Short mmCIF file of all heavy atoms in Angstrom, two decimals:
data_model
loop_
_atom_site.label_atom_id
_atom_site.label_comp_id
_atom_site.label_asym_id
_atom_site.label_seq_id
_atom_site.Cartn_x
_atom_site.Cartn_y
_atom_site.Cartn_z
N PHE A 1 0.79 -1.17 0.01
CA PHE A 1 0.01 -0.02 0.01
C PHE A 1 0.84 1.29 0.04
O PHE A 1 0.30 2.33 -0.23
CB PHE A 1 -0.89 -0.01 1.20
CG PHE A 1 -2.13 -0.88 1.02
CD1 PHE A 1 -2.51 -1.81 1.90
CD2 PHE A 1 -2.90 -0.75 -0.14
CE1 PHE A 1 -3.65 -2.60 1.79
CE2 PHE A 1 -4.02 -1.51 -0.37
CZ PHE A 1 -4.45 -2.42 0.64
N LEU A 2 2.17 1.27 0.23
CA LEU A 2 2.99 2.40 0.23
C LEU A 2 3.03 3.12 -1.10
O LEU A 2 2.97 4.35 -1.09
CB LEU A 2 4.40 2.00 0.62
CG LEU A 2 4.64 1.83 2.16
CD1 LEU A 2 5.98 1.45 2.43
CD2 LEU A 2 4.24 2.99 2.94
N PRO A 3 3.13 2.48 -2.26
CA PRO A 3 3.06 3.22 -3.54
C PRO A 3 1.72 3.95 -3.74
O PRO A 3 1.73 5.03 -4.29
CB PRO A 3 3.28 2.18 -4.61
CG PRO A 3 3.99 1.07 -3.92
CD PRO A 3 3.53 1.08 -2.51
N LEU A 4 0.65 3.27 -3.26
CA LEU A 4 -0.62 3.96 -3.37
C LEU A 4 -0.65 5.25 -2.50
O LEU A 4 -1.19 6.30 -2.88
CB LEU A 4 -1.78 3.04 -2.99
CG LEU A 4 -1.96 1.87 -3.88
CD1 LEU A 4 -2.95 0.87 -3.27
CD2 LEU A 4 -2.46 2.33 -5.19
N LEU A 5 -0.12 5.15 -1.30
CA LEU A 5 -0.14 6.32 -0.43
C LEU A 5 0.73 7.37 -1.02
O LEU A 5 0.43 8.60 -0.98
CB LEU A 5 0.52 5.86 0.95
CG LEU A 5 0.57 6.98 1.96
CD1 LEU A 5 -0.80 7.54 2.34
CD2 LEU A 5 1.32 6.51 3.15
N LEU A 6 1.89 7.00 -1.58
CA LEU A 6 2.75 8.00 -2.28
C LEU A 6 2.03 8.73 -3.44
O LEU A 6 2.17 9.91 -3.64
CB LEU A 6 4.06 7.29 -2.75
CG LEU A 6 5.09 8.17 -3.49
CD1 LEU A 6 5.63 9.15 -2.43
CD2 LEU A 6 6.13 7.32 -4.08
N ALA A 7 1.34 7.91 -4.24
CA ALA A 7 0.58 8.49 -5.39
C ALA A 7 -0.47 9.48 -4.94
O ALA A 7 -0.58 10.56 -5.57
CB ALA A 7 0.01 7.37 -6.26
N VAL A 8 -1.22 9.10 -3.92
CA VAL A 8 -2.26 10.03 -3.38
C VAL A 8 -1.61 11.33 -2.87
O VAL A 8 -2.08 12.43 -3.05
CB VAL A 8 -3.06 9.28 -2.33
CG1 VAL A 8 -3.97 10.27 -1.54
CG2 VAL A 8 -3.92 8.18 -2.98
N THR A 9 -0.47 11.13 -2.20
CA THR A 9 0.22 12.28 -1.59
C THR A 9 0.73 13.19 -2.66
O THR A 9 0.62 14.48 -2.57
CB THR A 9 1.37 11.85 -0.70
OG1 THR A 9 0.92 10.91 0.29
CG2 THR A 9 2.09 13.04 -0.01
N ILE A 10 1.27 12.65 -3.75
CA ILE A 10 1.78 13.52 -4.90
C ILE A 10 0.61 14.19 -5.52
O ILE A 10 0.73 15.44 -5.86
CB ILE A 10 2.56 12.64 -5.86
CG1 ILE A 10 3.89 12.22 -5.26
CG2 ILE A 10 2.80 13.36 -7.19
CD1 ILE A 10 4.67 11.25 -6.03
N VAL A 11 -0.46 13.56 -5.81
CA VAL A 11 -1.64 14.21 -6.39
C VAL A 11 -2.24 15.28 -5.53
O VAL A 11 -2.50 16.40 -6.03
CB VAL A 11 -2.73 13.18 -6.73
CG1 VAL A 11 -4.05 13.76 -7.12
CG2 VAL A 11 -2.21 12.21 -7.87
N ALA A 12 -2.27 15.09 -4.28
CA ALA A 12 -2.84 16.07 -3.32
C ALA A 12 -1.88 17.29 -3.30
O ALA A 12 -2.37 18.43 -3.37
CB ALA A 12 -3.02 15.55 -1.89
N TYR A 13 -0.57 17.04 -3.22
CA TYR A 13 0.33 18.13 -3.26
C TYR A 13 0.32 19.02 -4.54
O TYR A 13 0.30 20.22 -4.55
CB TYR A 13 1.76 17.65 -3.05
CG TYR A 13 2.87 18.68 -3.09
CD1 TYR A 13 3.06 19.60 -2.07
CD2 TYR A 13 3.64 18.85 -4.28
CE1 TYR A 13 4.02 20.59 -2.24
CE2 TYR A 13 4.60 19.89 -4.41
CZ TYR A 13 4.74 20.69 -3.29
OH TYR A 13 5.72 21.72 -3.40
N THR A 14 0.21 18.28 -5.61
CA THR A 14 0.02 18.98 -6.94
C THR A 14 -1.21 19.79 -7.03
O THR A 14 -1.18 21.00 -7.48
CB THR A 14 0.05 17.94 -8.11
OG1 THR A 14 1.24 17.14 -7.99
CG2 THR A 14 0.04 18.63 -9.43
N MET A 15 -2.27 19.34 -6.58
CA MET A 15 -3.53 20.04 -6.58
C MET A 15 -3.47 21.30 -5.68
O MET A 15 -3.92 22.36 -6.06
CB MET A 15 -4.73 19.16 -6.16
CG MET A 15 -5.06 18.14 -7.16
SD MET A 15 -6.36 16.91 -6.63
CE MET A 15 -7.73 18.10 -6.45
N ILE A 16 -2.84 21.18 -4.50
CA ILE A 16 -2.74 22.32 -3.60
C ILE A 16 -1.81 23.33 -4.16
O ILE A 16 -2.07 24.55 -4.14
CB ILE A 16 -2.29 21.85 -2.19
CG1 ILE A 16 -3.40 21.02 -1.50
CG2 ILE A 16 -1.87 23.03 -1.35
CD1 ILE A 16 -3.03 20.34 -0.24
N SER A 17 -0.67 22.92 -4.71
CA SER A 17 0.29 23.86 -5.29
C SER A 17 -0.24 24.60 -6.52
O SER A 17 0.10 25.69 -6.74
CB SER A 17 1.62 23.21 -5.52
OG SER A 17 1.49 22.24 -6.60
N GLU A 18 -1.09 23.84 -7.30
CA GLU A 18 -1.72 24.50 -8.46
C GLU A 18 -2.74 25.60 -8.08
O GLU A 18 -3.01 26.52 -8.80
CB GLU A 18 -2.27 23.49 -9.39
CG GLU A 18 -1.25 22.71 -10.15
CD GLU A 18 -0.46 23.55 -11.13
OE1 GLU A 18 -1.08 24.42 -11.79
OE2 GLU A 18 0.72 23.30 -11.29
N SER A 19 -3.41 25.37 -6.93
CA SER A 19 -4.46 26.28 -6.57
C SER A 19 -3.88 27.59 -6.02
O SER A 19 -4.53 28.61 -6.03
CB SER A 19 -5.33 25.63 -5.44
OG SER A 19 -4.62 25.47 -4.25
N ILE A 20 -2.59 27.55 -5.56
CA ILE A 20 -1.91 28.81 -5.11
C ILE A 20 -1.09 29.30 -6.30
O ILE A 20 -0.10 28.81 -6.62
CB ILE A 20 -1.05 28.52 -3.88
CG1 ILE A 20 -1.86 28.03 -2.76
CG2 ILE A 20 -0.29 29.77 -3.48
CD1 ILE A 20 -1.03 27.47 -1.56
N ASN A 21 -1.53 30.46 -6.86
CA ASN A 21 -0.75 30.99 -7.94
C ASN A 21 -0.38 32.45 -7.59
O ASN A 21 -0.58 32.86 -6.43
CB ASN A 21 -1.61 30.95 -9.26
CG ASN A 21 -2.94 31.66 -9.13
OD1 ASN A 21 -3.15 32.36 -8.21
ND2 ASN A 21 -3.90 31.35 -10.08
N ASN A 22 0.19 33.16 -8.53
CA ASN A 22 0.76 34.45 -8.20
C ASN A 22 -0.33 35.50 -7.88
O ASN A 22 -0.17 36.47 -7.13
CB ASN A 22 1.64 34.97 -9.31
CG ASN A 22 2.89 34.14 -9.42
OD1 ASN A 22 3.23 33.47 -8.48
ND2 ASN A 22 3.45 34.19 -10.61
N SER A 23 -1.53 35.26 -8.52
CA SER A 23 -2.64 36.35 -8.27
C SER A 23 -3.23 36.23 -6.90
O SER A 23 -3.78 37.24 -6.39
CB SER A 23 -3.65 36.22 -9.32
OG SER A 23 -4.30 34.95 -9.22
N ASN A 24 -3.17 35.10 -6.26
CA ASN A 24 -3.77 34.93 -4.93
C ASN A 24 -2.77 34.71 -3.79
O ASN A 24 -3.11 34.14 -2.80
CB ASN A 24 -4.87 33.95 -4.88
CG ASN A 24 -4.40 32.57 -5.30
OD1 ASN A 24 -3.26 32.37 -5.46
ND2 ASN A 24 -5.40 31.65 -5.34
N SER A 25 -1.52 34.99 -4.09
CA SER A 25 -0.52 34.77 -3.08
C SER A 25 -0.07 36.10 -2.49
O SER A 25 0.43 37.04 -3.15
CB SER A 25 0.80 34.12 -3.73
OG SER A 25 1.85 34.11 -2.80
N LEU A 26 -0.34 36.25 -1.25
CA LEU A 26 -0.05 37.46 -0.50
C LEU A 26 1.44 37.82 -0.44
O LEU A 26 1.79 38.94 -0.70
CB LEU A 26 -0.64 37.42 0.86
CG LEU A 26 -0.44 38.74 1.81
CD1 LEU A 26 -1.26 39.88 1.19
CD2 LEU A 26 -0.96 38.42 3.18
N SER A 27 2.23 36.79 -0.19
CA SER A 27 3.70 37.06 -0.11
C SER A 27 4.24 37.51 -1.50
O SER A 27 5.10 38.41 -1.55
CB SER A 27 4.40 35.83 0.40
OG SER A 27 4.24 34.73 -0.53
N TYR A 28 3.79 36.97 -2.57
CA TYR A 28 4.25 37.36 -3.91
C TYR A 28 3.89 38.76 -4.18
O TYR A 28 4.69 39.52 -4.67
CB TYR A 28 3.54 36.40 -4.93
CG TYR A 28 3.98 36.75 -6.38
CD1 TYR A 28 5.17 36.37 -6.93
CD2 TYR A 28 3.09 37.53 -7.14
CE1 TYR A 28 5.54 36.67 -8.18
CE2 TYR A 28 3.45 37.90 -8.48
CZ TYR A 28 4.68 37.42 -8.98
OH TYR A 28 5.05 37.81 -10.24
N GLN A 29 2.64 39.22 -3.80
CA GLN A 29 2.17 40.56 -4.10
C GLN A 29 2.99 41.60 -3.26
O GLN A 29 3.35 42.70 -3.72
CB GLN A 29 0.70 40.68 -3.77
CG GLN A 29 -0.13 39.82 -4.68
CD GLN A 29 0.00 40.06 -6.13
OE1 GLN A 29 0.30 41.18 -6.54
NE2 GLN A 29 -0.32 39.05 -6.91
N VAL A 30 3.27 41.23 -1.98
CA VAL A 30 4.05 42.18 -1.13
C VAL A 30 5.49 42.24 -1.66
O VAL A 30 6.08 43.34 -1.67
CB VAL A 30 3.93 41.69 0.35
CG1 VAL A 30 4.93 42.52 1.23
CG2 VAL A 30 2.59 41.84 0.85
N ASN A 31 6.08 41.09 -2.04
CA ASN A 31 7.44 41.09 -2.48
C ASN A 31 7.65 41.87 -3.81
O ASN A 31 8.73 42.40 -4.09
CB ASN A 31 8.04 39.76 -2.64
CG ASN A 31 8.30 39.11 -1.29
OD1 ASN A 31 8.54 39.79 -0.39
ND2 ASN A 31 8.24 37.79 -1.34
N HIS A 32 6.58 42.01 -4.61
CA HIS A 32 6.67 42.71 -5.93
C HIS A 32 6.06 44.14 -5.80
O HIS A 32 5.68 44.65 -6.81
CB HIS A 32 5.99 41.90 -7.01
CG HIS A 32 6.86 40.75 -7.39
ND1 HIS A 32 6.81 39.56 -6.67
CD2 HIS A 32 7.76 40.55 -8.33
CE1 HIS A 32 7.65 38.73 -7.22
NE2 HIS A 32 8.34 39.28 -8.22
N ASN A 33 5.89 44.68 -4.58
CA ASN A 33 5.38 45.97 -4.35
C ASN A 33 4.01 46.25 -4.94
O ASN A 33 3.69 47.35 -5.32
CB ASN A 33 6.42 47.03 -4.79
CG ASN A 33 7.74 46.88 -4.03
OD1 ASN A 33 7.78 46.61 -2.84
ND2 ASN A 33 8.84 47.19 -4.69
N ASN A 34 3.21 45.33 -4.96
CA ASN A 34 1.81 45.43 -5.46
C ASN A 34 0.88 45.50 -4.31
O ASN A 34 0.27 44.52 -3.94
CB ASN A 34 1.46 44.28 -6.41
CG ASN A 34 0.17 44.58 -7.20
OD1 ASN A 34 -0.46 45.60 -6.96
ND2 ASN A 34 -0.16 43.69 -8.10
N TYR A 35 0.92 46.63 -3.58
CA TYR A 35 0.21 46.70 -2.31
C TYR A 35 -1.32 46.81 -2.47
O TYR A 35 -2.05 46.35 -1.67
CB TYR A 35 0.68 47.95 -1.55
CG TYR A 35 2.15 47.81 -1.21
CD1 TYR A 35 3.12 48.66 -1.77
CD2 TYR A 35 2.58 46.83 -0.20
CE1 TYR A 35 4.47 48.54 -1.44
CE2 TYR A 35 3.93 46.72 0.03
CZ TYR A 35 4.88 47.54 -0.48
OH TYR A 35 6.19 47.42 -0.18
N ARG A 36 -1.80 47.27 -3.61
CA ARG A 36 -3.29 47.30 -3.81
C ARG A 36 -3.77 45.88 -4.00
O ARG A 36 -4.88 45.55 -3.29
CB ARG A 36 -3.55 48.02 -5.13
CG ARG A 36 -3.39 49.56 -4.94
CD ARG A 36 -3.79 50.22 -6.33
NE ARG A 36 -3.48 51.64 -6.14
CZ ARG A 36 -3.21 52.41 -7.17
NH1 ARG A 36 -3.34 51.95 -8.40
NH2 ARG A 36 -3.02 53.70 -7.00
N GLN A 37 -3.13 44.99 -4.63
CA GLN A 37 -3.57 43.62 -4.77
C GLN A 37 -3.42 42.90 -3.42
O GLN A 37 -4.25 42.10 -2.98
CB GLN A 37 -2.70 42.84 -5.84
CG GLN A 37 -3.18 41.37 -6.06
CD GLN A 37 -4.61 41.40 -6.66
OE1 GLN A 37 -5.12 42.24 -7.27
NE2 GLN A 37 -5.19 40.12 -6.45
N ALA A 38 -2.38 43.19 -2.66
CA ALA A 38 -2.18 42.67 -1.33
C ALA A 38 -3.32 43.07 -0.40
O ALA A 38 -3.78 42.22 0.41
CB ALA A 38 -0.76 43.01 -0.76
N GLU A 39 -3.65 44.34 -0.44
CA GLU A 39 -4.72 44.85 0.40
C GLU A 39 -6.04 44.17 0.11
O GLU A 39 -6.88 43.78 0.90
CB GLU A 39 -4.84 46.40 0.28
CG GLU A 39 -5.88 46.99 1.25
CD GLU A 39 -5.87 48.49 1.13
OE1 GLU A 39 -4.90 49.07 0.46
OE2 GLU A 39 -6.81 49.08 1.57
N LYS A 40 -6.25 43.98 -1.27
CA LYS A 40 -7.46 43.33 -1.73
C LYS A 40 -7.51 41.92 -1.20
O LYS A 40 -8.66 41.37 -0.82
CB LYS A 40 -7.53 43.35 -3.23
CG LYS A 40 -8.74 42.81 -3.87
CD LYS A 40 -8.61 42.99 -5.41
CE LYS A 40 -9.78 42.25 -6.10
NZ LYS A 40 -9.67 42.33 -7.54
N LEU A 41 -6.43 41.22 -1.27
CA LEU A 41 -6.32 39.81 -0.76
C LEU A 41 -6.61 39.71 0.74
O LEU A 41 -7.27 38.82 1.21
CB LEU A 41 -5.01 39.19 -1.07
CG LEU A 41 -4.74 38.81 -2.50
CD1 LEU A 41 -3.26 38.36 -2.69
CD2 LEU A 41 -5.64 37.61 -2.85
N LEU A 42 -6.09 40.74 1.44
CA LEU A 42 -6.33 40.83 2.96
C LEU A 42 -7.78 41.01 3.31
O LEU A 42 -8.34 40.44 4.21
CB LEU A 42 -5.47 41.79 3.59
CG LEU A 42 -3.98 41.51 3.70
CD1 LEU A 42 -3.18 42.66 4.20
CD2 LEU A 42 -3.80 40.23 4.64
N LYS A 43 -8.42 41.89 2.44
CA LYS A 43 -9.83 42.16 2.73
C LYS A 43 -10.72 40.97 2.41
O LYS A 43 -11.76 40.73 3.01
CB LYS A 43 -10.34 43.37 1.93
CG LYS A 43 -9.80 44.71 2.51
CD LYS A 43 -10.28 45.87 1.65
CE LYS A 43 -9.81 47.16 2.30
NZ LYS A 43 -10.19 48.33 1.43
N SER A 44 -10.34 40.24 1.35
CA SER A 44 -11.21 39.18 0.94
C SER A 44 -10.98 37.88 1.78
O SER A 44 -11.75 36.95 1.78
CB SER A 44 -10.90 38.72 -0.52
OG SER A 44 -9.58 38.23 -0.67
N GLY A 45 -9.91 37.88 2.51
CA GLY A 45 -9.67 36.83 3.49
C GLY A 45 -8.65 35.86 2.97
O GLY A 45 -8.35 34.83 3.22
#
């Protein structure tokens, strides 16, 4: 069952990492001095 667990873990990690992109990453927006988008992200939660 270890390869099955590894496959499920890889798929879950890929799905989570794909859902976080540059447009909804607060750290990316702050590091690139886009404070309006960062403030919008903070207000939306």
Side-chain angles (χ1 to χ4, degrees):
F1 282 128
L2 283 178
L4 295 170
L5 180 66
L6 180 68
V8 167
T9 305
I10 289 172
V11 167
Y13 175 76
T14 305
M15 290 175 64
I16 291 171
S17 65
E18 286 294 321
S19 69
I20 300 172
N21 56 19
N22 293 338
S23 65
N24 62 3
S25 174
L26 181 64
S27 62
Y28 179 82
Q29 298 301 333
V30 171
N31 286 334
H32 288 85
N33 298 326
N34 192 356
Y35 296 113
R36 288 183 184 156
Q37 183 67 22
E39 186 178 344
K40 184 179 172 184
L41 286 172
L42 286 172
K43 285 182 180 177
S44 68

